[in-house]
């Protein structure tokens, strides 16, 4: 008998728009952050809640996370980028390219309601 992974219909791959973070100096001399929202770059990944161990590890690094996104293939987004899926916004806190082989990439993200 073959072993198949069971995926619920809501846990299939989702499309995320990558909005790249750009840091600059404002007219008042203070640093400012903006996002490129042209919507040209996308990734397809599976969204899951972060487990307790992952949350504790990232909180110790001063970066709280709420979810993980697993994408097949090489890294497309970097830390501090924004991933948008419909009306949900996720800020990338860290990226782990498992095995450094370009087969699978894990994004550690924080879902934010206050960022547009």
């Amino acid at each position: 008998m073959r072993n198949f992974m069971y995926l619920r219909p809501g846990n299939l791959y989702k499309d995320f728009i990558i909005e790249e973070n750009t840091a600059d100096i404002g007219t008042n001399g203070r640093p400012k952050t903006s996002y490129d929202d042209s919507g040209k770059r996308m990734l397809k990944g599976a969204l899951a809640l972060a487990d307790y161990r992952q949350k504790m590890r990232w909180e110790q690094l001063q970066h709280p996370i709420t979810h993980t996104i697993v994408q097949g293939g090489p890294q497309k987004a970097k830390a501090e980028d924004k991933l948008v899926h419909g009306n949900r916004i996720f800020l990338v806190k860290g990226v782990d390219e498992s095995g450094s082989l370009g087969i699978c990439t894990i994004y550690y993200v924080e879902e934010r309601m206050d960022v547009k």
Side-chain angles (χ1 to χ4, degrees):
M1 183 169 136
R2 294 183 182 175
N3 293 330
F4 290 102
M5 183 170 48
Y6 174 72
L7 293 174
R8 296 186 321 215
N11 284 356
L12 298 176
Y13 285 102
K14 299 172 181 8
D15 290 322
F16 294 90
I17 298 170
I18 301 170
E19 294 186 5
E20 190 171 354
N21 177 20
T22 54
D24 200 6
I25 304 287
T27 56
N28 60 0
R30 293 180 176 254
K32 69 175 187 173
T33 299
S34 60
Y35 293 95
D36 175 22
D37 59 351
S38 61
K40 294 179 183 175
R41 296 181 47 216
M42 297 189 74
L43 69 84
K44 192 176 279 286
L47 177 67
L49 286 172
D51 68 12
Y52 178 75
R53 287 176 294 157
Q54 291 170 332
K55 285 184 181 183
M56 289 293 96
R57 180 177 145 223
W58 283 92
E59 277 187 30
Q60 289 174 352
L61 298 173
Q62 310 297 315
H63 294 286
I65 63 165
T66 58
H67 294 78
T68 58
I69 298 172
V70 179
Q71 167 216 318
Q75 175 181 344
K76 293 185 178 181
K78 62 184 185 326
E80 301 304 322
D81 283 354
K82 188 164 59 167
L83 302 178
V84 180
H85 173 68
N87 60 354
R88 298 177 76 182
I89 297 173
F90 302 92
L91 292 179
V92 179
K93 297 296 184 177
V95 181
D96 183 17
E97 192 171 349
S98 303
S100 298
L101 298 172
I103 297 171
C104 181
T105 305
I106 303 170
Y107 299 98
Y108 298 97
V109 298
E110 179 185 16
E111 184 171 17
R112 298 290 297 263
M113 307 291 181
D114 60 339
V115 176
K116 293 291 174 195

